[in-house]
Amino acid sequence: MSNHATNNNLCASRSVMDKFLNSVERVGNKIPDPALLFFYGLLIIWILSAFLSQFNFGLIHPVTGTTVEIKNLLTGHALAGSLTNMVTTFTSFAPIGIVLVAMLGVGVAEASGFITTGLKKMLNVTPKKLLTPALVLVAIISHTAADAGYVLIIPLGGILFHAAGRHPLAGIVAAFAGVSGGFSANFIPSAVDPLLAGFTQSSAQVLDKEYLVNPLSNLYFTGLSSIIIVGIVWYVTERIIEPRLKRLSIDVNAESNQDMGSYSELENKAFNRAAFSMLAGILLLILLSIPEASALRSPSGSLIVHSAPLMKSIVPLIFIMFMISGVVYGRVAGTFKNQNDIIKAMNHSMSAMSPYLVMSFFCAQFLAAFSQSNIGTFLALEGSAFLKEINMPSQLTIVCMILLTATVNLLIGSASAKWALMGPILVPILMGLGIAPELSQAAYRIGDSVSNIISPLMVFFPLVVVYCQRYVKSTGIGTLASMMLPYSISMFIGWTMFLLAYWALNIPLGINAPYTYQI
């Protein structure tokens, strides 16, 4: 086939991709803000509760053995109760405290420069032959520092590849695939873990009021997933993307920000001391946990049951570890001149959480109404009965859930908002089928990650286009999406197969994370 014919085929495929992505963008832009979605959902629950309360469905709650009746939330007493409890419903919403406490510590470590210097150090010691997997691994680790990967690692990927004589766009898209497509793959606990676990727990309690979800219930799975994602992105980059990019000429000869990957001797010294302080803290924690009479153990002497103080302290420990390392780094490097700078770093991390707090307020009211009306229990029991009737294998059910999540993710980018919407319905239904909430959460995390990189509604997608335009000025949204599509498809297939194999081998998903739920 001639180069002319090849270029025509490439243009045609991009044209189709552009039309598809433009359609997704138009539909997605019409979707209200997540906070409004929960407000509208609250109104719908009120109306539905008034309507459905007129009927007797004859459902028996499998845990309590009582008859499930839909409660009318539009009565005077119910509305008065909603107003009376509105504040406490919000302040007692489980995910809020968990996320905010974790982000306080991570925010200090990020503002000090500790995390950024650590990422740079990892890339600078990497041999050229291992540049791609190292870049992807660092991109995955960057999830610990919120959005650092988007503003640091992705443009740095272009610089490193260009300096190594490789096409810079390959470095940008490989880093983008690691940062965004592998969003839920990480062997280091981050604020995402307790955030999703909080919503999973609230969703599970729609059916089982006593159910608890450990914030690290997916830790082992997401940690091993890092290896899978690195392998997939490495293969796709060097075997699919780079050969195609050979036909795409670079418009510039050099990148202006060549020092983005460098760090000073002072920063190196600060990082070493901060890393040592974090390791010392972890070692101290281990030593304190060893004695059988340790205060960190449960009354039975276990460290991993829900009642163990160690398990209840995971989020505060994340806060303390990142706080210590951030303060040490900031003091040595000079980014923290005094104690006020530390508090300012915390204030900055909290200011970034204001959209989350607004969404959480309406989400808390929605979930409370969803639970009080018994509509959630009704949907869970009826949905479970339907799925049992069609007798679909549990593995296929999980695959369908991943596909559903990936599809919804094209329109609703926020991981927490999407799970807060989907979790209260999907988690109880799957519990009715014997699938544990922790497994449902793991499946959700796959779907939530793999389609990020092809959605133009993802807030950083236009920024990645700009990064690409530094080297190839004609790069557009469709161009980037067409490059990311092989990553998205490969990760969907490979990561889903990994979860099924992981499940079949009965490898623990994380701490206190069963695969099955028994009513």
Side-chain angles (χ1 to χ4, degrees):
M1 183 181 291
S2 66
N3 288 337
H4 180 70
T6 302
N7 289 336
N8 284 342
N9 290 337
L10 186 59
C11 290
S13 63
R14 285 181 179 173
S15 177
V16 173
M17 178 63 67
D18 285 339
K19 290 179 181 178
F20 169 72
L21 292 170
N22 288 339
S23 298
V24 171
E25 188 171 9
R26 282 195 300 271
V27 174
N29 286 335
K30 294 180 180 179
I31 294 178
D33 186 89
L36 285 174
L37 288 176
F38 288 116
F39 174 69
Y40 297 148
L42 177 63
L43 298 180
I44 291 171
I45 290 298
W46 282 350
I47 296 170
L48 275 178
S49 69
F51 174 72
L52 295 176
S53 65
Q54 308 300 316
F55 304 95
N56 182 6
F57 296 97
L59 292 175
I60 304 298
H61 197 293
V63 177
T64 64
T66 58
T67 302
V68 176
E69 296 180 353
I70 305 299
K71 180 182 177 182
N72 185 357
L73 298 183
L74 284 183
T75 64
H77 288 294
L79 289 173
S82 296
L83 287 173
T84 303
N85 298 320
M86 184 176 289
V87 174
T88 54
T89 296
F90 176 49
T91 56
S92 61
F93 189 47
I96 293 179
I98 291 173
V99 173
L100 295 186
V101 170
M103 283 305 299
L104 282 173
V106 173
V108 170
E110 185 178 5
S112 71
F114 170 64
I115 294 176
T116 299
T117 301
L119 295 174
K120 290 179 179 179
K121 284 174 71 70
M122 288 188 67
L123 287 175
N124 283 349
V125 298
T126 303
K128 286 188 176 181
K129 290 184 178 180
L130 298 178
L131 180 58
T132 303
L135 175 64
V136 179
L137 182 61
V138 172
I140 289 173
I141 295 173
S142 72
H143 303 148
T144 308
D147 297 330
Y150 291 101
V151 297
L152 172 68
I153 303 304
I154 295 177
L156 190 56
I159 294 171
L160 292 173
F161 269 54
H162 195 222
R166 300 167 65 177
H167 202 294
L169 262 59
I172 290 174
V173 297
F176 186 27
V179 171
S180 194
F183 179 73
S184 283
N186 201 348
F187 51 84
I188 299 176
S190 68
V192 176
D193 295 286
L195 185 152
L196 293 180
F199 285 114
T200 304
Q201 179 172 298
S202 299
S203 300
Q205 289 177 351
V206 169
L207 187 63
D208 185 345
K209 300 294 183 186
E210 304 300 321
Y211 201 90
L212 299 175
V213 176
N214 191 292
L216 301 183
S217 59
N218 287 161
L219 180 63
Y220 306 151
F221 173 70
T222 56
L224 289 174
S225 292
S226 302
I227 301 173
I228 301 299
I229 295 303
V230 168
I232 291 173
V233 177
W234 188 2
Y235 178 86
V236 173
T237 300
E238 298 192 357
R239 296 301 179 91
I240 299 176
I241 300 301
E242 284 196 277
R244 291 186 68 226
L245 286 175
K246 287 180 180 178
R247 298 189 295 267
L248 197 61
S249 60
I250 302 172
D251 295 328
V252 294
N253 294 321
E255 167 62 46
S256 59
N257 296 322
Q258 289 288 348
D259 62 342
M260 282 186 65
S262 64
Y263 52 88
S264 65
E265 284 296 325
L266 181 60
E267 289 173 329
N268 182 56
K269 177 182 177 181
F271 177 83
N272 290 337
R273 292 191 179 182
F276 177 79
S277 69
M278 178 177 278
L279 290 174
I282 294 173
L283 179 60
L284 177 62
L285 180 64
I286 293 173
L287 293 175
L288 292 175
S289 303
I290 291 176
E292 291 186 7
S294 170
L296 295 173
R297 294 178 178 268
S298 70
S300 63
S302 175
L303 282 171
I304 61 172
V305 297
H306 284 295
S307 59
L310 179 64
M311 290 297 100
K312 294 181 178 179
S313 304
I314 286 174
V315 173
L317 287 172
I318 292 174
F319 162 73
I320 292 171
M321 293 301 177
F322 279 102
M323 181 76 175
I324 291 173
S325 57
V327 170
V328 171
Y329 182 97
R331 287 291 194 180
V332 177
T335 50
F336 291 158
K337 304 294 184 184
N338 51 50
Q339 296 176 351
N340 289 337
D341 290 337
I342 300 172
I343 300 302
K344 287 178 182 177
M346 291 186 179
N347 288 337
H348 179 72
S349 66
M350 288 299 99
S351 65
M353 297 301 293
S354 55
Y356 172 78
L357 289 175
V358 174
M359 183 202 73
S360 293
F361 172 78
F362 291 102
C363 180
Q365 311 306 321
F366 167 78
L367 288 177
F370 196 62
S371 177
Q372 293 165 9
S373 67
N374 281 331
I375 290 178
T377 305
F378 169 76
L379 290 175
L381 296 179
E382 290 288 9
S384 300
F386 171 74
L387 290 177
K388 286 179 181 177
E389 187 176 334
I390 64 176
N391 198 26
M392 188 163 61
S394 297
Q395 291 80 1
L396 183 57
T397 301
I398 288 295
V399 173
C400 290
M401 179 181 173
I402 295 172
L403 182 59
L404 173 65
T405 304
T407 303
V408 174
N409 191 44
L410 292 172
L411 301 175
I412 303 176
S414 170
S416 56
K418 193 162 55 265
W419 191 223
L421 282 167
M422 299 172 63
I425 297 174
L426 293 178
V427 170
I429 287 177
L430 297 184
M431 288 171 70
L433 293 175
I435 296 175
E438 291 83 357
L439 177 55
S440 299
Q441 178 181 278
Y444 169 79
R445 296 180 78 160
I446 294 175
D448 175 59
S449 298
V450 297
S451 61
N452 276 335
I453 50 181
I454 59 172
S455 174
L457 298 179
M458 204 272 287
V459 291
F460 289 102
F461 198 93
L463 180 62
V464 180
V465 173
V466 173
Y467 293 149
C468 292
Q469 288 174 342
R470 292 177 180 175
Y471 302 96
V472 181
K473 295 177 181 178
S474 61
T475 303
I477 287 178
T479 309
L480 178 60
S482 65
M483 287 191 289
M484 301 313 299
L485 194 57
Y487 291 108
S488 185
I489 295 173
S490 300
M491 284 194 284
F492 173 80
I493 296 172
W495 207 350
T496 300
M497 291 177 64
F498 176 66
L499 175 59
L500 296 178
Y502 197 97
W503 182 7
L505 294 172
N506 201 32
I507 304 172
L509 287 167
I511 299 174
N512 294 330
Y515 282 100
T516 59
Y517 173 80
Q518 298 226 340
I519 296 178

